[in-house]
Amino acid sequence: MSDRHGFTRLALAISDTARAQETAAALREAHDWVSEDEAEAVVALGGDGFMLQTLHRMLEGGAVKPVYGVNRGTMGFLMNKHRPSSKLIDRINRSRRIAISPLQMKATTQDGTSHSACAINEVSLLRETRQTAKIEVQVDEKVRIKELVADGILVATPAGSTAYNLSANGPILPLESQLLALTPISAFRPRRWRGAILPDRARITLRINEHDKRPVAAVADQQEIRDVAEVQIERLRDTDLTLLFDPGHSLDERIVSEQFMF
């Protein structure tokens, strides 16, 4: 169901691509824009990658505001369709809100150093050398797999389930599902394990076996920590991001149809 928001103070966030810049030039004449600090909501022009950049900037700056994306990129799973003839402010004020819950990654390296990072798409663990990784998988402090032998493993949010997770044959999760995908990357053993779908309240701990011989890097979206010994992943509490979508937005249909493409 759509909401009537009554937004009047809007800010533009613009990708540096030619398509986004061209669209921004037309929009600047159609509305009086304000800075992000003054805005009630932000209009992001670009693709899914730029949407993630915009959301990360808000997380890091501590000023989280609703974001309405206009697709000027390629896939645009997190964006609305660009309609030049429609009045953008009316579309935004009729939009529906969807909350996105980021992940908190806490990584401990082999030398005992602790690192923390947030991920909107996924946290992935990847082998650093030709040696396969050996990873113990815990969910809510219970060992579920004593030793996963694979190129790595990832934990994806619904927003990230159509990205790296999908290419690793993980499940696509509806944005409002409150689930996480735990997906192995080129698993060798257990050979038949294809991953798991978990509630987003789950706490996942990944411990690296033989980490000195088989080094592993942890990546939270684009932030990489090398030579990790243990990684804890859970939902970032009390920090939901808000995306705005047109009523009847085709994302749900795209999520369904993507699962039947061969």
Side-chain angles (χ1 to χ4, degrees), residues 12 18-28 30 33 43-47 68-76 78-88 91 245-246 249-250 254:
L12 268 181
R19 292 178 71 196
Q21 294 292 328
E22 180 181 342
T23 302
L27 288 177
R28 285 193 182 99
W33 303 92
V43 177
L45 306 179
Y68 180 94
V70 177
N71 187 24
R72 307 312 289 140
T74 306
M75 295 301 293
L78 303 178
M79 315 299 277
N80 295 283
K81 186 176 180 180
H82 176 50
R83 296 188 177 96
S85 59
S86 64
K87 194 170 182 180
L88 184 62
R91 289 174 62 188
F245 288 105
D246 291 333
H249 186 265
S250 62
R254 291 177 67 181

Side-chain angles (χ1 to χ4, degrees), residues 16 18 31 36 52-53 71 76 99 127 162 181 198 214 229 239 252:
D16 58 6
H31 186 74
E36 284 193 22
L52 291 177
Q53 291 177 27
N71 187 24
R127 63 185 176 97
T162 56
L198 304 173
R214 302 170 184 270
T239 311
D252 291 341

Side-chain angles (χ1 to χ4, degrees), residues 132-137 145-154 183-191 193 206 209:
T132 55
K134 292 186 175 182
I135 304 169
E136 178 188 277
V137 179
I145 299 178
K146 189 172 183 180
E147 189 166 84
L148 170 68
V149 182
D151 282 355
I153 189 171
L154 64 84
T183 303
I185 302 169
S186 301
F188 177 72
R189 195 166 50 241
R191 193 174 295 274
W193 188 61
L206 305 171
N209 299 336

Side-chain angles (χ1 to χ4, degrees), residues 27-42:
L27 288 177
R28 285 193 182 99
E29 299 177 1
H31 186 74
D32 293 326
W33 303 92
V34 299
S35 69
E36 284 193 22
D37 290 339
E38 302 172 290
E40 299 164 308
V42 175

Side-chain angles (χ1 to χ4, degrees), residues 164-178:
Y164 190 10
N165 172 71
L166 180 59
S167 69
N169 296 315
I172 298 176
L173 304 175
L175 281 179
E176 298 172 281
S177 64
Q178 297 183 315

Side-chain angles (χ1 to χ4, degrees), residues 77-132:
F77 273 98
L78 303 178
M79 315 299 277
N80 295 283
K81 186 176 180 180
H82 176 50
R83 296 188 177 96
S85 59
S86 64
K87 194 170 182 180
L88 184 62
I89 187 68
D90 289 342
R91 289 174 62 188
I92 294 171
N93 280 322
R94 290 195 307 267
S95 64
R96 63 188 178 110
R97 295 172 179 257
I98 292 183
I100 301 292
S101 299
L103 297 173
Q104 176 80 48
M105 178 186 81
K106 296 180 180 178
T108 303
T109 56
Q110 296 177 23
D111 63 5
T113 305
S114 296
H115 302 265
S116 182
C118 293
I120 298 166
N121 263 5
E122 78 275 320
V123 173
S124 55
L125 272 63
L126 303 164
R127 63 185 176 97
E128 295 179 13
T129 69
R130 62 181 179 83
Q131 296 269 28
T132 55

